[in-house]
Each structure stands twice: as C-alpha cells, then as structure tokens.
Amino acid sequence: DAGVTQSPTHLIKTRGQQVTLRCSPKSGHDTVSWYQQALGQGPQFIFQYYEEEERQRGNFPDRFSGHQFPNYSSELNVNALLLGDSALYLCASSFRTPQETQYFGPGTRLLVL
Amino acid sequence: AQSVTQPDIHITVSEGASLELRCNYSYGATPYLFWYVQSPGQGLQLLLKYFSGDTLVQGIKGFEAEFKRSQSSFNLRKPSVHWSDAAEYFCAVGAAHAGGTSYGKLTFGQGTILTVHP
C-alpha cells in the first residue's frame, strides 16, 4: 500500500517564475492538505482540498492556488515566486471523518533564486 | 485561534536515558493532538494521536504522551532513548469537525530537535 507521494523531490526556480507541485494521496484517502515548512520552522497550513474544492485556507496570498482531481490527487501552484517561497512543501492526505488523521508525504524542496 | 508552543528548541540526552518533550496548546474546545517526527530532509511521520478517552496515549517506537487538560499540555515521553530517535519532533493541534470552523487544519509548534549522545 503506497503512502503519500509527491513530485518532484527538488526544484530550483528563479524569482517571478511559476511552479506546480504534485501530490498523490494514500490509498483510500479523499482529502489533501498542503503545508509550507520554512527552514527551522514548523509546517504552516496553506489549504485543504476535499471533493475537488478548496475547503479551508490558511494565511497565504492568492499567488498560492491548488486543484484536486477526481482521483483525489492534487496540485499546488505558486505564481510570481519570491525568494521567501523557498521551503519544503508538504502534502498530507486523510480520510474525511470527524477524527481525521493526516499522513504526510516526503515533501518537495523548492529553492527560489 | 489555535496555537502550539514547544518551549524547548533543542534537547540533548544520552542513549538509554529517559526523554520528555514538552508541548502546550491553546484551543477553545477539546483539541485533537498529535506528535510527528521528522528526520533531516524527510516528511513527517505520525508517532501518536489523542482524540478522546484515555489521556495516556501509546504510539509507535515506544513513545507515549499524556493529555492534561488542566495544564493544556500534551508532553511526549520515552523511557529509554535510542540513537535512532535523533530527529526533530513536532506537536500539532487540530480541531474537531462538528461546530469547528478550522477543522482539517493542523497547527504545528516550532519543533524540538533531539540529539542523542552515545
């Protein structure tokens, strides 16, 4: 049973560019959440997708957008990249129940130059 | 708003010694509480979770945590640390779905880096 997978593992971009990160949830999971983890910090919630809609959003600008596909996989898009967007981007999947437990993927390391 | 404080940025213990990592949370209702561990350059692995019931929760790798509502704490413990436990540990709080406006979102602490000396 595959866990949460993310691609790519590493990415280097320059300021102003756009990036797309991908996530495949754990088998049986229908909800995907995205987190940003800056160096030396705890993960910060970006948004969550359920039934192909953004269910909840954290304090991130509109440059951060996402999508969920019918097979529950998800993409995170970041436009107009800033140096400060350099971070580890973590995807977590879960099954929508009152006692939801999120399982994390290995992350995508993004470096913005 | 929910928040988590992990007072200890870095803890060093000797192999075989006991361990306690502190976590204090702020949340208006009964929280869902989690401990995750992260090895360098890796994602987060779930160690244990508390939703309700017994306040002493057992997890993987010999870890346990105790929920103390009166102290708003959820400290992680292990009686005998192994060198392979060296990693960064994160406490997180989530909200129940029913009536919660922030359900689904996990709020993490800053993390505690654990170093294990042989």
Side-chain angles (χ1 to χ4, degrees):
Chain A
D1 178 21
V4 179
T5 60
Q6 293 185 243
S7 63
T9 56
H10 295 83
L11 206 50
I12 299 175
K13 293 286 187 178
T14 57
R15 280 178 296 174
Q17 285 189 312
Q18 178 266 344
V19 68
T20 298
L21 310 182
R22 295 175 176 82
C23 172
S24 291
K26 184 178 169 66
S27 178
H29 286 184
D30 57 5
T31 302
V32 173
S33 303
W34 286 92
Y35 293 81
Q36 181 195 65
Q37 186 179 20
L39 201 60
Q41 303 294 317
Q44 299 288 317
F45 177 77
I46 302 175
F47 42 54
Q48 183 182 77
Y49 277 83
Y50 172 67
E51 291 187 339
E52 302 180 48
E53 291 190 357
E54 184 181 291
R55 189 76 176 217
Q56 188 180 5
R57 189 178 184 91
N59 294 326
F60 279 80
D62 292 344
R63 298 187 296 109
F64 289 77
S65 63
H67 187 79
Q68 185 179 35
F69 299 93
N71 67 353
Y72 308 119
S73 66
S74 176
E75 288 182 349
L76 164 65
N77 300 293
V78 186
N79 294 323
L81 285 167
L82 303 174
L83 296 181
D85 294 331
S86 295
L88 180 68
Y89 288 85
L90 295 165
C91 168
S93 74
S94 54
F95 180 66
R96 200 79 177 145
T97 67
Q99 295 183 349
E100 180 179 312
T101 299
Q102 296 184 20
Y103 293 88
F104 285 79
T108 294
R109 175 74 63 186
L110 172 65
L111 178 60
V112 182
L113 301 176
Chain B
Q2 55 204 63
S3 66
V4 175
T5 301
Q6 293 181 246
D8 304 305
I9 296 174
H10 196 168
I11 283 184
T12 300
V13 300
S14 297
E15 192 170 15
S18 63
L19 173 69
E20 183 169 28
L21 302 182
R22 296 184 290 165
C23 171
N24 293 99
Y25 69 90
S26 174
Y27 183 62
T30 299
Y32 292 163
L33 294 162
F34 306 83
W35 275 99
Y36 287 88
V37 61
Q38 185 176 38
S39 297
Q42 303 296 313
L44 302 174
Q45 181 183 20
L46 179 68
L47 284 176
L48 47 77
K49 59 190 177 185
Y50 171 79
F51 289 132
S52 64
D54 192 346
T55 57
L56 186 62
V57 179
Q58 301 297 320
I60 62 171
K61 302 184 179 186
F63 285 94
E64 67 177 26
E66 186 171 12
F67 171 58
K68 293 186 177 180
R69 184 188 302 275
S70 62
Q71 298 177 21
S72 297
S73 70
F74 188 57
N75 293 348
L76 182 71
R77 300 193 295 247
K78 186 170 185 178
S80 177
V81 171
H82 188 262
W83 64 266
S84 61
D85 293 325
E88 188 161 17
Y89 292 79
F90 291 94
C91 180
V93 62
H97 285 201
T101 58
S102 60
Y103 58 79
K105 165 186 175 180
L106 289 181
T107 299
F108 286 84
Q110 292 274 71
T112 298
I113 298 171
L114 173 65
T115 298
V116 180
H117 281 168

